[in-house]
Amino acid sequence: MTAARPIVEARGLWKRYGDVAAVDGIDFSVGEGELFGLLGPNGAGKTTTISMLACLIAPTSGTIVVDGHDCLTEPMAVKRTLGIVPQEVALYPTLSAAQNLAFWGRMYGLRGASLRSAVDEALELVGLAERAHERIERYSGGMKRRVNIAAGILHRPRVLLMDEPTVGIDPQSRNHILETVRRLNDDGVTVVYTSHYMEEVEALCDRVAIMDHGKIIASGTVRELSDLVGGLDVITVVADGASEADAAALKGCEGIAEADVSDDGLRLLAPRGGSALASVVRMLEGRGVRIRSLTVTEPDLESVFLHLTGKTLRD
Amino acid sequence: MGALLRIAAKDLAVLVRDKAAVLVMLAMPLGLVFILGSALGPSAGAGFDAKVAIVDLDSGPAGTRFVEGILAAEGLDEVFDIEVRSDVGEVRRDVSRGDLQAALVIPDGVSEAVAVGAPAVLEVLQDPGSQIAAGMWAGVARATASAASAEIVARRVVAQQALSRGTTPPVDLAPIVVSIEDTEVDTASRISAVGYYTAGMTGMFLLFGAMFGAFAFVRERREQTFMRMIAAPVPAWAIVGGKATGVLLATVGQFVVLLAGTSALFGVRWGAHPAAAVAVGVAESACAAGLAMVLAGIGTSERSIGAIAPAVIMLFAATGGAMLPVEALPAALRPLQVVSPVYWAVQGFLDVMRGASWAEVSTNVATLSGMAVVFLTFGIWRVSRR
Ligand SMILES: Nc1ncnc2c1ncn2[C@@H]1O[C@H](COP(=O)(O)OP(=O)(O)OP(=O)(O)O)[C@@H](O)[C@H]1O
Ligand SMILES: [Mg+2]
C-alpha cells in the first residue's frame, strides 16, 4: 500500500516535555490519497504527533516533510498544503457558522466569490447548510464538531489532519462525520485520522499505525495487523462486576494468551477460543462474576492492541 | 497585512456581540457621567449655570458698589445664574437644600469699616455638595473684594497726598470700578461637572478595551482558535498585530460613541477642535491596545486578567484625575500622574474642551503614543514568548 507517492513523511520524530517523551522516536509515511489511521489510547501521543505535522510545535528532534516541504524550513508552504481539524472545537461561539467559516477561509487566502462558494460547499458537505446563520453556541456538540470539520476542509487542502473528530458525540453525527471523511478521501484528499475507537479506524482507514506511550507499536493494513495476532481468537465477555483481578486470574489459566478489562466486561485472546470457553466460564463463576454473554470472533485491531500491550483500548 | 486586518475585524465582530463588553465600555461611562455630573453640577446641560446669590445687608455705598461690580462683570452671567436677594435666612436655607450652590453675603457695616480703614469681612455660603461651583463663586468674591480693596487703598493714597500737600481732597473721586478681568477664577473650572466627568470617564473607560482585548486573547488560547490561526499560513506577526489592531479599532469606536453620546445626551462641548479630541482619543486607544498585549502576556486566564486589569485601570484613573480633579490628590501621589495614561488623556480632553487645538495637546498625544509603544513592545514580547 505504500506504492503511492508519499506526501507526508516523518523520520525519527521525537518530542519531550521535561521527562515525558510524548512522542518517542516514530517513523511513518503517508501516501498521496491514502486514509491513514493513528490509533492509540489517551496520552499515546496522537495530538502531539498531529501538532508537529501541522508545524504547531517543533519536534525535539526528527524531520517532517509534507509534499516535499520541510516543516522546519518552509512552514508556510506546509501550512498551505494542510487542513486541520483539531481535537477541541476551535470556533468562535458567538459568531454564526457562516461567519466562522468565512473567517477561516480568509485565513487561507480565500476571497470574494470563491470564499462564498467554499463556505456554502463546506456547509453542504457537513449537512448544516440550513443552519448556516445560527450562532455556534446554539449548536449541539455533534453539530459543532461538523462545523469544526468544515473549517478544516474549506480551502480544499491536499492533506487533512483530523484529531479524534468524533470524540463524545451521538451516533448519528458520528456516522455523518465518517461518511464525510470517506467522501473527502474519495475526492483525493489524503487524510491522517487519529482515534482511540478501533472500530472507526478499522472501518475507515487503508493503513493504520498503533501508538502507545509515544511509540508506534505496529503499523500496516488492517489485514496485516490482524495477522499479527496470528491464530488467536478473541473472546468477548460481557459481564457485571469484572475487575482487574479477574483478568489477572484468567491470564494465569491454561489456554488463555491475554486478558484485560474492557468497557463492559473482559476481552481475552486464546489460541483456540472455542475450547477455552468452558474454563473461562468456570473461572469467572467461581469468582462471582455474572456473565451475560460470551462471543468468540476473529481478531480485530482491539485484539492486536491487547496482544501487543496486554491492555484493552478503553476510553 | 490583509490577514492582520481580517483578524482585527473578526475580533471586533466578536466584541460587539459581547454584552458585558458593550455594557462596560459604553453604558458604564455614559451612566457614570450622567450620575456624577448631575450629582456635582446643577444641570446636565451645556455650560455651567450654577445658581448663586448675593445678599447685601450693608446700608452704605460699599456694598452697593460691590453688588453692581459683580453684576456688571463681563462673562460671569455665562457661568453663573446670579440672584440678588435680601433675606439671608432664606438664602441660607436654599443653599443647604442645594437650590443654590453658593451665596455671597455682604454684612452690615462694611461701608463704615471701609470708611475708617478697618478690615471688612465678606461671607461666602457654600453647598459642600457643589464644591466646584461654590469654589468658583468664592473665587469671584475674593477677586472682586481684592479689586475693591485696591481701589480703596488707591483712594486713600490720593487723599493722603492731597492732605499732605495741604489741598482739599477731591470729593468726587472716580467711581469704583470692580473688575474681574484679571481675577483668579480658574478657567479650568469653567468646564461643567458633566464635562469634567466626560473627560474623566472617557479617559478611564477607554482603557477597559484593554481588558476585553486580553480576554479575547486568552479565550483564543483556551478554545484553540489561536492554534487554528497558527496552523493557517499566516505569519505570527499578523496574528499578534491583528489582535492589537482589533483592540485599537474597538477602542477608537468606543471613543467616537462616547464623544457623540456625551454631546448628544448631555450637551457636552468638546471644544472647537474635534480633531484634537480625536488625536488624544486615538493615542489613548493605542495605549489600550498595548495594555491588552501586556495583560495577555502576564495573565493566564480571564479570571486573573479580570482581577488585574480593573485594579491597574482604577489606579491609573485615580492618579490621573478621572475621578477627582488632580489638584485634590495628596501631594505624595502627584508624581505618579506622569506614568498614568489616564492623566495625559483626561488633561488632554479637558484642554480640548477649553478650546485647545491639535498643537496645544501635542504633548499629551506624544506622551500617550510613547506609552503605547512601550506597552506594545513589552506586551508583544511577553505574548510571543508563550
Ligand atoms: N504541552 C504539554 N506539556 C507537557 N506534557 C504534555 C504536553 N502535551 C502533551 N503532553 C503529554 O504528552 C503525552 C501525549 O499527549 P497527547 O495529547 O499527544 O496524547 P493523545 O494521544 O492525543 O491523547 P488523547 O487521546 O487523550 O487526546 C501525555 O502524557 C501528555 O500528558
Ligand atoms: Mg489527543
Side-chain angles (χ1 to χ4, degrees):
Chain A
M1 258 315 278
T2 35
R5 182 180 84 93
I7 192 163
V8 177
E9 283 188 278
R11 293 280 161 262
L13 209 53
W14 207 50
K15 180 72 190 179
R16 295 193 76 90
Y17 289 111
D19 287 341
V20 181
V23 170
D24 197 359
I26 62 172
D27 297 87
F28 64 89
S29 70
V30 182
E32 184 149 25
E34 217 175 6
L35 214 167
F36 181 79
L38 212 49
L39 178 69
N42 291 137
K46 304 181 295 292
T47 298
T48 308
T49 304
I50 292 283
S51 301
M52 287 190 286
L53 292 181
C55 315
L56 291 172
I57 56 175
T60 309
S61 68
T63 56
I64 296 166
V65 176
V66 177
D67 196 27
H69 303 288
D70 190 300
C71 242
L72 283 180
T73 55
E74 298 173 272
M76 288 300 160
V78 172
K79 288 174 180 181
R80 269 190 286 272
T81 312
L82 297 177
I84 182 163
V85 178
Q87 183 166 358
E88 309 293 331
V89 172
L91 299 168
Y92 299 100
T94 55
L95 301 184
S96 71
Q99 286 167 326
N100 265 281
L101 294 184
F103 173 69
W104 294 115
R106 289 188 185 107
M107 290 296 99
Y108 282 87
L110 298 176
R111 302 282 184 270
S114 59
L115 175 65
R116 276 192 299 279
S117 66
V119 169
D120 291 346
E121 276 169 39
L123 282 168
E124 199 66 56
L125 186 70
V126 297
L128 287 170
E130 327 82 81
R131 305 193 56 169
H133 299 290
E134 224 169 291
R135 287 181 177 205
I136 294 294
E137 62 192 357
R138 308 225 175 95
Y139 279 33
S140 73
M143 284 165 27
K144 282 180 194 164
R145 289 207 160 264
R146 278 145 70 180
V147 183
N148 201 36
I149 292 173
I153 57 173
L154 195 60
H155 58 289
R156 315 236 169 90
R158 298 193 30 222
V159 179
L160 181 62
L161 308 176
M162 304 184 91
D163 195 1
E164 307 210 33
T166 59
V167 140
I169 57 166
D170 57 289
Q172 193 199 338
S173 278
R174 174 194 267 219
N175 286 337
H176 197 290
I177 288 172
L178 296 181
E179 203 39 57
T180 307
V181 175
R182 236 178 244 119
R183 266 162 60 190
L184 286 166
N185 184 241
D186 289 346
D187 288 348
V189 178
T190 306
V191 181
V192 177
Y193 188 100
T194 89
S195 178
H196 63 264
Y197 297 125
M198 65 92 201
E199 324 85 60
E200 231 173 49
V201 172
E202 212 165 49
L204 208 57
C205 299
D206 304 320
R207 233 154 39 85
V208 181
I210 301 180
M211 278 191 92
D212 192 33
H213 295 301
K215 291 194 164 71
I216 292 181
I217 55 173
S219 67
T221 60
V222 174
R223 160 105 282 144
E224 285 163 357
L225 289 172
S226 302
D227 287 348
L228 288 177
V229 193
L232 296 179
D233 289 329
V234 181
I235 304 174
T236 307
V237 183
V238 178
D240 298 328
S243 68
E244 303 279 353
D246 299 321
L250 281 170
K251 239 188 278 191
C253 276
E254 221 199 288
I256 305 291
E258 280 296 348
D260 195 19
V261 183
S262 65
D263 288 330
D264 54 0
L266 295 157
R267 275 172 77 84
L268 320 174
L269 297 181
R272 285 180 306 281
S275 53
L277 283 183
S279 51
V280 169
V281 171
R282 214 174 310 120
M283 164 72 82
L284 287 178
E285 305 237 290
R287 298 180 62 89
V289 177
R290 269 199 51 217
I291 299 173
R292 296 209 264 147
S293 74
L294 268 179
T295 42
V296 179
T297 50
E298 293 277 290
D300 55 13
L301 287 183
E302 172 87 54
S303 56
V304 175
F305 193 79
L306 179 59
H307 176 64
L308 295 171
T309 66
K311 299 181 296 184
T312 54
L313 259 172
R314 275 181 295 162
D315 281 336
Chain B
M1 202 61 202
L4 184 151
L5 291 177
R6 281 161 214 285
I7 291 169
K10 178 268 300 169
D11 273 10
L12 214 52
V14 171
L15 187 76
V16 297
R17 285 168 175 77
D18 182 346
K19 289 197 188 74
V22 173
L23 191 76
V24 170
M25 291 175 70
L26 298 177
M28 265 173 67
L30 289 174
L32 281 170
V33 167
F34 178 72
I35 293 165
L36 293 169
S38 46
L40 295 167
S43 73
F48 189 105
D49 23 28
K51 257 178 109 175
V52 295
I54 310 179
V55 187
D56 183 10
L57 301 176
D58 183 30
S59 41
T64 312
R65 271 198 208 99
F66 208 97
V67 173
E68 281 166 4
I70 288 180
L71 292 179
E74 224 174 290
L76 262 190
D77 57 345
E78 277 174 31
V79 184
F80 292 108
D81 184 356
I82 306 170
E83 285 176 16
V84 178
R85 308 265 291 259
S86 54
D87 186 340
V88 75
E90 213 177 54
V91 165
R92 199 177 286 278
R93 191 200 60 205
D94 284 352
V95 171
S96 72
R97 280 182 185 166
D99 292 343
L100 286 171
Q101 270 70 56
L104 171 66
V105 180
I106 304 164
D108 195 6
V110 167
S111 292
E112 283 99 7
V114 168
V116 300
V121 181
L122 308 183
E123 193 188 357
V124 175
L125 305 175
Q126 42 179 287
D127 169 11
S130 313
Q131 277 178 355
I132 297 175
M136 283 168 65
W137 186 234
V140 169
R142 217 169 288 124
T144 313
S146 63
S149 305
E151 199 74 43
I152 290 160
V153 170
R155 281 205 309 172
R156 209 162 282 147
V157 171
V158 172
Q160 269 161 7
Q161 280 173 345
L163 283 173
S164 64
R165 272 188 249 115
T167 53
T168 357
V171 178
D172 195 9
L173 284 169
I176 297 174
V177 179
V178 178
S179 160
I180 58 154
E181 255 165 30
D182 283 313
T183 62
E184 297 217 335
V185 175
D186 182 7
T187 49
S189 319
R190 282 276 175 88
I191 289 170
S192 68
V194 171
Y196 191 88
Y197 282 103
T198 293
M201 294 301 114
T202 304
M204 171 168 150
F205 278 89
L206 285 188
L207 290 192
F208 272 95
M211 181 174 82
F212 291 101
F215 281 173
F217 216 111
V218 296
R219 228 173 265 154
E220 296 238 31
R221 272 202 288 250
R222 190 185 62 227
E223 285 168 4
Q224 306 228 349
T225 44
F226 204 70
M227 192 219 78
R228 189 167 232 161
M229 273 196 257
I230 299 172
V234 174
W237 62 261
I239 299 175
V240 176
K243 302 289 303 171
T245 308
V247 179
L248 177 74
L249 294 181
T251 321
V252 170
Q254 177 194 10
F255 175 66
V256 170
V257 173
L258 291 181
L259 189 102
T262 52
S263 57
L265 297 174
F266 311 131
V268 172
R269 288 191 294 227
W270 278 87
H273 302 279
V278 171
V280 176
V282 170
E284 197 192 10
S285 298
C287 274
L291 202 56
M293 295 300 112
V294 173
L295 291 168
I298 58 178
T300 49
S301 63
E302 279 155 290
R303 183 189 279 256
S304 62
I305 290 166
I308 303 167
V312 170
I313 295 170
M314 292 296 180
L315 203 70
F316 280 155
T319 53
M323 298 163 176
L324 284 172
V326 282
E327 293 77 27
L329 218 63
L333 290 178
R334 297 270 181 94
L336 289 179
Q337 280 165 5
V338 294
V339 297
S340 163
V342 176
Y343 170 77
W344 293 100
V346 172
Q347 297 309 313
F349 291 144
L350 290 173
D351 286 345
V352 169
M353 288 177 183
R354 280 178 211 124
S357 67
W358 203 108
E360 288 165 297
V361 293
S362 59
T363 312
N364 302 59
V365 173
T367 310
L368 287 169
S369 308
M371 286 176 165
V373 169
V374 171
F375 287 149
L376 277 169
T377 308
F378 176 76
I380 290 174
W381 170 71
R382 283 289 311 202
V383 158
S384 50
R385 270 161 44 104
R386 292 270 179 101

